[in-house]
C-alpha cells in the first residue's frame, strides 16, 4: 500500500512557456487545495491562483487538473499544475509542495513504477514509455508507440494463453490417466506447443533488428589515416541525415554521432579521435577502429583513390560482414582511372565499390542509397511488435528452450497420430513442467512474474517526473 504522495516537475528544465508539475498519491487533491487551487471537477482544466501556504505569497496563475483514482496515469489521485515555465516559478512551487506534510519529491521513475504497481502499465509498456520519451527518429517513435499500445505484451500473452491451454490438456492426461481422456488431447497439446515454438522462432529471427531500431543501427567508417573518413562523415551528415546528437562513445576517443537517416536511427562511430593518436600509436588506433568495425551492422571502408591500390590486403573485419568500399577522392583522378581502380578492387573482393568524393560530394547520394537499401532490407524481415531489448530476448530464449525440451521429451519426431495415445509419451508430467517454465518466462515480459530483481533496474533509468 503506497502511502507517500510524490511530486515532480514532469516537463523539462530550462526556460519554457509552461512547466508541468505532477502530484500523485492520497494527498494530491489536498495539496492542490492547500495551494489555493480548490477542488476542480475531475479532468477539467481550471484556472487557479496558486499561493505558498507557508507565506501566503502568490506563486503563479496556473492551469490545474485533477485526475481522481483510478482514472489517472499512476492509478492514484493525481494532480497536474501547469505553471509558467520560469525558474523562479518552478522553484517556488516545488518549495511550496515540499513544505506540505506527507509530500515528498519523487524518485526517478517513481510515477511509472506506481502505474505498474497499480496495473496501469505492464513492464513492456513502461519500457516503451522510456523509449518514446527518448525517441529521436520517426522509426523509433513508431516502434515505441506500438509497444506502448501493448503490442508486444499482447503477443506474449497470446502465447501464454495458448500454452496454458496445452498445459491443461497435458495435466488432464497426467491426472486422469486411467479415465477417459478425449482421444488426441495430448497430440493437440503438442501441436499447440509446436505452433507456438514456430512463432517464437520467427520473432527471434528479427530480434537484433528490433533492438537496433530502438537504439540505432551501427555504421562504422574505417580506413587508414587521411583517406577522408571525417570528411565523408560530414558530407553524409550534411547531405541527407540530420545530426541528432553527439554522445561520448564507450571507447575513449570515439565520438558517436546519431543521425536520422530517412527516419531511421543510425549511429556512426566517428573515429576522428583515433587519428590524433595515430601518429603516436598508429597500430593501436587502427586496432580500436577495427574492433569497432567488427561490431557494426554496416562498414564503410574508405580507400584513397589517388594512392596506389595494390597496398595492404583488406582487413578481415571488412571482408567478414556487410561492408561497402568507398573509393574516395575520386575527384583527383580522371574518370577512366576511377573505373579502372574500381575494377581492381572488385577483382580482389566481392564487396560493392562506390566511387565518391567527400570534397565535391560526387557519389554521396549513391552511398546514402546503399545505406538506406541495406537498412530497409534488414527491416523487411521484421514482423509486427518486434523485441526491443535484451530482457525480451532472454525471456523469449528461456521460453523457447523450455518448449524445445518439452517437445524433445514428447519426441516430436513421431507423427501426431503416434502421440495421439497418452501412453506413447513416457513422462507427460515432465513435459508439463517444461511448459510451465515457458509460460513463466513469457510472463516476465509484461512483468507479471519473477521480476522483482529487474524492477529497480528498469525504473531507476527513468528520469524524475515519469
Ligand atoms: P581521415 O583521416 O580519414 O578522417 O581524413 P580527413 O577527412 O581528415 O581527410 C584527410 C585529407 O583529405 C583532408 O585534407 C581532406 O580535405 C582531404 N580529402 C578528404 N576527402 C577528399 C576528397 O574526396 N577529395 C580530395 N581532393 N580531398 C579529400
Amino acid at each position: 500500500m503506497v502511502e507517500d504522495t510524490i511530486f515532480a516537475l514532469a516537463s523539462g528544465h530550462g526556460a519554457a512557456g509552461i512547466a508541468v508539475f505532477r502530484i500523485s498519491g492520497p494527498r494530491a487533491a489536498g495539496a492542490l487545495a492547500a495551494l489555493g487551487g480548490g477542488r476542480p471537477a475531475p479532468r477539467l482544466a481550471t484556472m487557479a491562483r496558486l499561493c505558498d501556504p507557508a507565506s501566503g505569497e502568490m506563486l503563479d496563475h496556473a492551469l490545474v487538473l485533477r485526475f481522481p483514482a483510478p482514472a489517472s496515469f499512476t492509478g492514484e489521485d493525481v494532480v497536474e499544475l501547469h505553471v509558467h515555465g520560469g525558474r523562479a516559478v518552478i522553484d517556488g512551487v516545488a518549495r511550496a509542495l515540499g513544505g506540505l506534510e506527507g509530500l515528498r519529491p519523487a524518485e526517478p521513475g517513481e510515477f511509472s513504477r506506481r502505474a505498474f504497481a497499480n496495473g496501469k502499465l505492464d513492464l513492456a509498456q513502461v519500457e516503451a514509455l522510456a523509449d518514446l520519451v527518448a525517441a529521436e527518429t520517426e522509426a523509433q517513435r513508431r516502434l515505441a508507440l506500438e509497444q506502448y499500445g501493448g503490442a508486444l505484451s499482447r503477443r506474449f500473452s497470446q502465447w501464454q494463453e495458448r500454452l496454458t491451454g496445452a498445459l491443461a490438456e497435458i495435466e488432464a492426461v497426467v491426472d486422469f490417466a486411467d479415465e477417459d481422456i478425449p482421444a488426441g488431447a495430448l497430440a493437440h497439446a503438442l501441436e499447440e506447443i509446436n505452433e507456438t515454438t514456430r512463432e517464437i522462432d520467427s520473432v527471434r529471427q528479427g530480434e537484433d533488428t528490433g533492438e537496433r531500431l530502438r537504439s540505432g543501427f551501427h555504421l562504422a567508417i574505417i580506413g587508414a589515416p587521411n583517406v577522408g573518413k571525417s570528411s565523408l562523415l560530414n558530407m553524409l551528415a550534411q547531405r541527407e541525415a540530420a545530426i541528432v546528437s553527439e554522445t561520448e562513445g564507450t571507447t575513449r576517443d570515439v565520438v558517436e554521432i546519431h543521425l536520422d537517416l530517412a527516419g531511421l536511427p543510425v549511429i556512426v562511430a566517428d573515429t576522428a579521435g583515433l587519428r590524433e593518436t595515430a601518429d603516436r600509436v598508429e597500430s593501436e588506433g587502427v586496432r580500436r577502429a577495427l574492433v569497432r568495425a567488427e561490431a557494426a551492422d554496416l562498414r564503410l571502408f574508405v580507400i584513397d583513390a589517388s594512392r596506389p591500390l595494390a597496398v595492404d590486403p583488406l582487413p578481415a573485419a571488412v571482408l567478414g560482414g556487410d561492408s561497402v568500399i568507398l573509393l574516395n577522392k575520386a575527384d583527383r583522378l580522371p574518370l577512366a582511372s576511377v573505373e579502372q581502380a574500381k575494377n581492381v578492387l572488385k577483382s580482389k573482393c566481392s564487396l560493392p565499390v562506390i566511387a565518391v568524393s567527400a570534397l565535391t560530394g560526387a557519389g554521396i547520394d549513391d552511398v546514402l542509397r546503399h545505406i538506406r537499401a541495406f537498412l530497409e532490407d534488414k527491416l523487411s524481415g521484421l514482423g509486427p511488435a518486434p523485441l526491443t531489448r535484451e530482457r525480451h530476448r532472454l525471456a523469449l530464449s528461456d521460453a523457447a528452450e523450455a518448449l524445445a525440451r518439452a517437445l524433445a521429451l514428447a519426441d516430436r519426431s513421431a507423427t501426431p497420430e503416434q502421440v495421439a495415445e497418452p501412453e506413447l509419451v513416457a513422462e507427460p508430467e515432465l513435459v508439463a513442467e517444461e511448459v510451465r517454465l515457458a509460460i513463466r518466462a513469457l510472463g516476465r515480459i509484461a512483468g507479471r512474474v519473477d521480476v522483482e530483481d529487474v524492477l529497480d533496474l528498469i525504473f531507476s533509468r527513468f528520469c524524475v517526473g515519469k
Side-chain angles (χ1 to χ4, degrees):
M1 176 68 194
V2 179
E3 288 293 346
D4 287 354
T5 295
I6 52 173
F7 69 91
L9 185 67
S11 53
H13 290 269
I18 59 166
V20 179
F21 276 92
R22 214 182 225 170
I23 311 167
S24 179
R27 292 175 187 245
L32 177 59
L35 261 60
R39 197 178 167 78
R43 293 175 298 281
L44 195 73
T46 309
M47 284 299 294
R49 261 183 78 207
L50 299 184
C51 297
D52 187 336
S55 62
E57 196 181 342
M58 183 170 153
L59 294 167
D60 197 7
H61 281 288
L63 199 64
V64 300
L65 283 150
R66 194 167 69 85
F67 302 91
S72 72
F73 174 69
T74 58
E76 304 177 320
D77 276 345
V78 167
V79 162
E80 279 183 16
L81 311 176
H82 297 220
V83 300
H84 290 103
R87 190 57 200 267
V89 177
I90 291 171
D91 288 350
V93 172
R95 218 179 3 256
L97 289 172
L100 295 175
E101 205 193 313
L103 260 72
R104 67 166 171 81
E107 306 283 339
E110 204 171 3
F111 289 94
S112 305
R113 188 162 193 153
R114 290 186 176 193
F116 171 70
N118 291 325
K120 286 279 164 177
L121 296 175
D122 67 36
L123 218 42
Q125 289 174 306
V126 167
E127 288 168 332
L129 183 61
D131 292 344
L132 191 57
V133 173
E136 289 179 329
T137 71
E138 259 178 65
Q140 288 172 317
R141 170 175 53 75
R142 253 183 255 127
L143 186 67
L145 273 178
E146 186 183 38
Q147 194 173 318
Y148 187 60
L152 189 62
S153 314
R154 264 198 301 282
R155 167 168 248 175
F156 274 67
S157 67
Q158 277 162 7
W159 286 329
Q160 274 183 292
E161 275 165 34
R162 190 193 279 173
L163 291 176
T164 306
L167 182 62
E169 287 173 317
I170 299 169
E171 281 178 338
V173 171
V174 176
D175 293 344
F176 309 106
D178 302 332
E179 296 168 37
D180 261 0
I181 307 295
L186 198 56
H188 180 256
L190 292 175
E191 196 38 61
E192 290 285 272
I193 296 174
N194 236 335
E195 182 56 30
T196 310
T197 302
R198 271 195 292 275
E199 287 183 21
I200 288 179
D201 284 348
S202 87
V203 169
R204 290 182 72 198
Q205 274 167 15
E207 63 189 12
D208 290 345
T209 311
E211 276 186 71
R212 288 298 211 234
L213 192 56
R214 180 180 80 82
S215 61
F217 292 91
H218 288 266
L219 210 73
I221 302 183
I222 48 172
N226 277 320
V227 292
K229 298 183 294 297
S230 308
S231 311
L232 273 168
L233 174 60
N234 285 337
M235 196 50 128
L236 289 176
Q238 278 168 26
R239 183 61 71 92
E240 174 88 4
I243 292 189
V244 180
S245 60
E246 292 189 23
T247 53
E248 286 297 318
T250 40
T251 320
R252 204 165 53 93
D253 300 334
V254 178
V255 173
E256 289 182 343
I257 298 187
H258 293 228
L259 302 178
D260 177 342
L261 197 81
L264 297 170
V266 173
I267 301 171
V268 190
D270 181 10
T271 49
L274 296 176
R275 205 182 26 164
E276 274 132 47
T277 60
D279 297 337
R280 204 158 35 89
V281 240
E282 184 166 326
S283 60
E284 173 60 12
V286 170
R287 192 191 65 79
R288 281 194 212 173
L290 287 178
V291 166
R292 186 84 200 185
E294 246 164 296
D297 297 300
L298 179 66
R299 286 154 281 273
L300 306 181
F301 187 65
V302 187
I303 292 177
D304 184 339
S306 63
R307 291 215 228 126
L309 286 169
V311 278
D312 313 324
L314 294 169
V318 173
L319 291 171
D322 290 304
S323 306
V324 49
I325 295 180
L326 303 187
L327 198 55
N328 190 34
K329 308 197 188 182
D331 56 282
R332 286 193 175 170
L333 298 183
L335 205 58
S337 311
V338 172
E339 283 309 310
Q340 196 186 354
K342 272 172 86 170
N343 290 334
V344 171
L345 279 167
K346 280 183 179 160
S347 69
K348 287 169 82 177
C349 65
S350 57
L351 298 173
V353 182
I354 304 176
V356 290
S357 167
L359 192 73
T360 67
I364 296 294
D365 284 343
D366 294 336
V367 179
L368 287 168
R369 249 196 305 279
H370 187 90
I371 299 171
R372 228 177 288 139
F374 171 80
L375 296 180
E376 273 158 17
D377 184 49
K378 283 224 139 192
L379 289 172
S380 65
L382 200 65
L387 310 184
T388 54
R389 287 168 196 258
E390 195 187 1
R391 191 179 77 81
H392 309 162
R393 195 151 38 108
L394 291 178
L396 211 49
S397 80
D398 284 353
E401 280 167 24
L403 292 181
R405 287 193 301 269
L407 289 173
L409 280 166
D411 188 16
R412 283 303 285 155
S413 57
T415 62
E417 291 74 38
Q418 283 173 299
V419 290
E421 293 305 317
E423 55 270 23
L424 286 175
V425 174
E427 295 165 302
E429 59 281 355
L430 294 183
V431 178
E433 186 49 32
E434 296 295 354
V435 175
R436 254 192 297 276
L437 285 175
I439 294 170
R440 274 187 89 76
L442 294 172
R444 294 212 303 260
I445 292 293
R448 297 203 184 90
V449 289
D450 273 359
V451 287
E452 274 312 312
D453 47 342
V454 299
L455 286 185
D456 286 335
L457 196 74
I458 290 174
F459 288 102
S460 63
R461 292 198 183 135
F462 273 70
C463 40
V464 175
K466 278 187 254 147

